Amino acid sequence: MSDPIIEAVDKHPAPKGLQYTYGTAGFRTKADVLDSVLTRVGLVAALRSRSLKGKWIGVMITASHNPPEDNGVKLVEPLGNMLQEEWEVLSTEMANKTGGEEVAKFYSDMAAKYNIDLETPARVVVARDTRASGARLLGCVQDGLKAAGAEVKDYGFLTTPQLHYMVRCLNTEGTKDAYGTPTEKGYYEKFGAAFKTALKGKKASGSLTVDCANGVGGPKLTELIKYLPPKEEALEIHVVNDNVIKPEALNVDCGADFVKTNQRAPPSSKTDPNDRCCSLDGDADRVVFYFKDSNNVFRLLDGDRIATLVASFLGDQVRLAGLADSIKIGVVQTAYANGAATQYVEQHLKLKVDCTPTGVKHLHHAAEKLDIGVYFEANGHGTVIFSENTLDTIANYEPKNPGQAEALSVLRACIDLINQSVGDALSDMLLVEVVLAHKSWSTQEWLNTYTDLPNRLLKVTVKDRNVFKTTDAERRLTSPEGLQEKIDKEVQKVRQGRSFARASGTEDAVRVYAEAATKAEAEDLARKVAELVKVAG
Ligand code: 16G
Ligand code: MG
């Protein structure tokens, strides 16, 4: 009898000479060399589910902010977290096996090594973004899943955070931790209702224009709007760049990555000064806000700004609820956070700041150790997570007066409004709107909370980026030898200087970040450090 696994794998042969790596964002590369990877990911997903006694595992087909011709895939753990690191390594090994027989052997070896009973049911949820290659790649995953005998739920098009939500809902259904109804409607109802409750009858000032990167966030936001309170009572949203009929427009001259990298609005943007705007990325797990000020100057409110805004608001509500002694809030950042943001949180908000290496999973793990962990990367990836104890405290606390009752009710609604499974651009966007409405703040007032230090990010091409090894949450280099000392010397030459270099996890390059008291000093420092990196690499 022929082995269905060998058959499925050989139906989608791997291109010769390519090496695949499950990196910070899963597998991601040109879509036309991904078929073999997707079939094997189907096998890994089935094994992972069996290793967890049939819990639902998620497979998301997306390449986020990458160009339209790319695609990718990532696996989601039962509570909506990113794949465990050990399984990232196994996925990489699986992706690089040559043919059907090798893969089938690896599959049974893995089962033996991890004591996985291949008779246990395997359950896998799949979804994809709007890329043209998505349908074909879905077919490849399906072939793998079918060969492994997995039960499959295909949700069609979803944002990445919606898929994480479905996975968490499916695995908690009927338990005391039930997260919601595992349907798209369930998602919209949950977040729409929480938005309404959290607003407490307050109305956002002006309207919000949302650039959807011509990705899956567009149609999903349009749907979500139907579940929000009427715009006259709450928030008027204009959806732009939502053309998913033209997949070649995805992330082109629009979206969160374009705005953050180029520090300007999409060229298509037609807003007036002081109009509030935000941009999602291609799979809607990142969001940044921005506006043109009264002098027509572009102003960015990135992930650092969202973190400080949200941390200050939640801090106020916890205090107003009378819970400041039992609940501590902390903020988690990466080295890319602007020094002024870090200082604002520590000195003005008087909250603890943790710094972790780049990549959502690192921030998420650090945030899990806090009562309330607000974590955002400067690029707009992030969310807030609440510990079990904190959730219990907030759920059970008896308010002593109407003020405490009101704050408690806001906190409870915020918990529902914040997607606990993963950073979610749509949910983060609504949270920002709630905070601005409560504070009656314009974007200018939000911006005025502190002044960013001028900074510069450069990309340096080197012979081998793997020789660049870091410590201290990527803030210092341990290799190449002697390079860090040279960087330190340059940093000391400028006022309020800070600089670091790290190998990119997604591109073949080393990234250099520098900030200083003035633009000229920051630019100069970045250039000098880039030069040092180039010579050393
Ligand atoms: C990935 C990460 C993102 C990080 C970026 C850094 C996830 C889901 N995504 O896109 O958080 O900021 O990589 O890219 O973890 P780099 O290593 O090229 O600088
Ligand atoms: Mg993304």
Side-chain angles (χ1 to χ4, degrees), residues 44-328:
V44 175
L47 274 177
R48 181 66 183 139
S49 172
R50 290 194 168 112
S51 79
L52 297 167
K53 312 243 170 328
K55 288 228 161 68
W56 290 94
I57 289 294
V59 175
M60 181 71 201
I61 305 172
T62 177
S64 186
H65 62 270
N66 281 42
E69 63 277 14
D70 289 9
N71 215 328
V73 63
K74 41 191 173 187
L75 291 169
V76 178
E77 293 274 336
L79 288 184
N81 295 355
M82 312 260 161
L83 184 64
Q84 224 187 48
E85 254 161 83
E86 198 177 0
W87 281 78
E88 293 185 2
V89 177
L90 296 173
S91 304
T92 298
E93 277 183 60
M94 178 71 104
N96 292 307
K97 296 283 168 208
T98 25
E101 288 198 16
E102 255 198 57
V103 169
K105 178 166 185 318
F106 186 64
Y107 181 86
S108 30
D109 289 352
M110 268 171 80
K113 184 171 164 200
Y114 290 94
N115 269 327
I116 300 168
D117 176 3
L118 291 173
E119 299 303 312
T120 310
R123 300 192 177 94
V124 179
V125 191
V126 293
R128 58 189 159 107
D129 71 13
T130 51
R131 286 163 197 271
S133 56
R136 189 190 80 241
L137 293 175
L138 172 68
C140 301
V141 178
Q142 298 269 29
D143 284 345
L145 289 169
K146 194 160 153 226
E151 179 188 340
V152 184
K153 234 185 223 300
D154 174 13
Y155 278 92
F157 300 109
L158 288 183
T159 69
T160 294
Q162 283 182 321
L163 188 265
H164 286 248
Y165 165 90
M166 298 305 172
V167 173
R168 188 171 178 135
C169 290
L170 285 166
N171 285 310
T172 53
E173 237 179 343
T175 74
K176 71 168 186 26
D177 299 319
Y179 193 58
T181 312
T183 59
E184 261 196 80
K185 189 161 178 277
Y187 173 95
Y188 301 125
E189 281 174 349
K190 177 178 168 106
F191 292 100
F195 179 62
K196 181 165 188 236
T197 314
L199 271 179
K200 292 269 156 223
K202 304 209 163 45
K203 188 176 176 313
S205 78
S207 62
L208 173 68
T209 301
V210 188
D211 154 30
C212 300
N214 291 321
V216 65
K220 301 308 176 190
L221 173 58
T222 302
E223 201 52 35
L224 172 62
I225 290 172
K226 298 180 190 158
Y227 295 78
L228 302 181
K231 62 175 188 248
E232 300 74 27
E233 288 168 28
L235 169 68
E236 181 172 354
I237 299 179
H238 303 294
V239 182
V240 299
N241 297 328
D242 61 340
N243 185 353
V244 290
I245 308 299
K246 215 173 106 192
E248 65 273 21
L250 176 67
N251 297 321
V252 176
D253 285 342
C254 59
D257 200 61
F258 174 90
V259 172
K260 172 76 182 158
T261 311
N262 298 289
Q263 307 266 322
R264 63 186 166 100
S268 59
S269 170
K270 291 194 187 62
T271 53
D272 292 325
N274 293 313
D275 279 353
R276 195 162 63 252
C277 308
C278 70
S279 286
L280 320 178
D281 73 337
D283 62 338
D285 64 354
R286 253 171 90 174
V287 63
V288 292
F289 281 72
Y290 51 94
F291 67 107
K292 280 186 294 196
D293 69 13
S294 307
N295 300 319
N296 244 335
V297 178
F298 172 82
R299 300 290 187 176
L300 181 66
L301 294 149
D302 63 3
D304 294 348
R305 296 283 183 170
I306 299 176
T308 51
L309 180 78
V310 167
S312 101
F313 180 70
L314 293 177
D316 289 347
Q317 299 305 316
V318 165
R319 215 172 12 258
L320 290 170
L323 289 169
D325 289 337
S326 40
I327 298 176
K328 297 282 169 249

Side-chain angles (χ1 to χ4, degrees), residues 432-499:
V432 165
E433 289 297 323
V434 163
V435 179
L436 292 178
H438 272 266
K439 288 183 181 276
S440 303
W441 272 5
S442 65
T443 39
Q444 184 64 55
E445 285 163 297
W446 177 11
L447 186 75
N448 290 347
T449 47
Y450 62 87
T451 309
D452 271 322
L453 283 170
N455 58 88
R456 184 80 191 163
L457 187 62
L458 291 177
K459 193 162 81 179
V460 187
T461 317
V462 293
K463 267 200 264 14
D464 179 10
R465 76 185 203 275
N466 297 316
V467 302
F468 291 81
K469 297 208 165 46
T470 59
T471 181
D472 190 20
E474 301 179 325
R475 288 175 289 193
R476 297 188 66 76
L477 286 164
T478 52
S479 148
E481 222 189 303
L483 179 56
Q484 186 60 50
E485 289 68 29
K486 290 183 184 147
I487 295 177
D488 290 342
K489 276 207 184 104
E490 292 304 330
V491 168
Q492 277 150 24
K493 289 184 194 159
V494 300
R495 288 166 302 153
Q496 287 178 276
R498 187 169 72 90
S499 180

